[in-house]
């Protein structure tokens, strides 16, 4: 929460079952401040049942065209999809908007494909730290990255 310093909505992009939403609710964020979206209809249905006071949309991230000032996300880990996600984020945010992302470990340092570094130039990295435990099903190593739209 310390990275989101205003009262604007927090968008849980690629929300899945809402584990990031759950963490924010436990920190005291009011449910009406949260909007989750995911492309998977079953996950959105589950999200709506688990967090009925939040808003939920069944959409892919590239279909979202409104401003997303504060974003939390566990985007797709495939390199091409992750780049597309970051490009979308740079289009839907304005200078000063922030995002807290769970990304594959070292992703933002990749030199190839060139689109990774070209897209990362749109952001200021405020903080990054390795996640303490891997994802349960995939055992992928990830890191928490806090970025601000430049």
């Amino acid at each position: 929460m310390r990275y989101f310093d205003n009262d604007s909505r927090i968008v849980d992009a690629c929300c899945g079952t809402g584990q990031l939403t759950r963490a924010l609710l436990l920190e005291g964020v009011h449910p009406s401040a949260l909007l989750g979206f995911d492309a998977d209809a079953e996950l959105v249905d589950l999200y709506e049942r688990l967090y009925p006071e939040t808003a939920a949309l069944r959409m892919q991230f590239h279909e979202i065209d409104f401003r997303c000032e504060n974003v939390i996300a566990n985007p797709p880990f495939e390199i091409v999809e992750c780049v597309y996600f970051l490009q979308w984020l740079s289009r839907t945010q304005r200078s000063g908007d922030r995002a807290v992302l769970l990304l594959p470990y070292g992703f933002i340092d990749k030199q190839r494909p060139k689109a990774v570094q070209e897209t990362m130039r749109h952001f200021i990295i405020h903080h990054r730290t390795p996640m303490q435990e891997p994802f349960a099903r995939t055992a992928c190593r990830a890191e928490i990255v806090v970025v601000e739209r430049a």
Side-chain angles (χ1 to χ4, degrees), residues 47-77:
Y47 183 92
E48 289 177 314
R49 282 193 302 257
L50 292 171
Y51 314 106
E53 295 180 29
T54 64
L57 300 171
R58 180 179 175 255
M59 299 180 88
Q60 295 182 16
F61 61 82
H62 56 80
E63 296 174 308
I64 302 290
D65 61 357
F66 51 81
R67 181 177 177 195
C68 298
E69 297 170 77
N70 301 313
V71 173
I72 56 173
N74 179 10
F77 269 31

Side-chain angles (χ1 to χ4, degrees), residues 42-132:
E42 290 178 10
L43 290 177
V44 173
D45 288 344
L46 181 59
Y47 183 92
E48 289 177 314
R49 282 193 302 257
L50 292 171
Y51 314 106
E53 295 180 29
T54 64
L57 300 171
R58 180 179 175 255
M59 299 180 88
Q60 295 182 16
F61 61 82
H62 56 80
E63 296 174 308
I64 302 290
D65 61 357
F66 51 81
R67 181 177 177 195
C68 298
E69 297 170 77
N70 301 313
V71 173
I72 56 173
N74 179 10
F77 269 31
E78 297 81 17
I79 292 173
V80 172
E81 284 296 308
C82 198
V83 169
Y84 287 154
F85 177 85
L86 290 169
Q87 289 170 340
W88 163 80
L89 186 63
S90 74
R91 286 191 308 274
T92 58
Q93 288 193 318
R94 295 184 191 152
S95 180
D97 292 348
R98 294 189 175 201
V100 178
L101 309 171
L102 305 181
L103 296 174
Y105 187 81
F107 179 82
I108 61 176
D109 301 318
K110 286 187 166 298
Q111 297 303 307
R112 300 259 187 259
K114 191 190 280 188
V116 173
Q117 289 307 309
E118 288 173 357
T119 304
M120 288 309 299
R121 276 187 273 236
H122 295 272
F123 299 99
I124 299 163
I125 300 167
H126 282 286
H127 180 75
R128 61 192 289 196
T129 187
M131 285 180 50
Q132 294 179 348

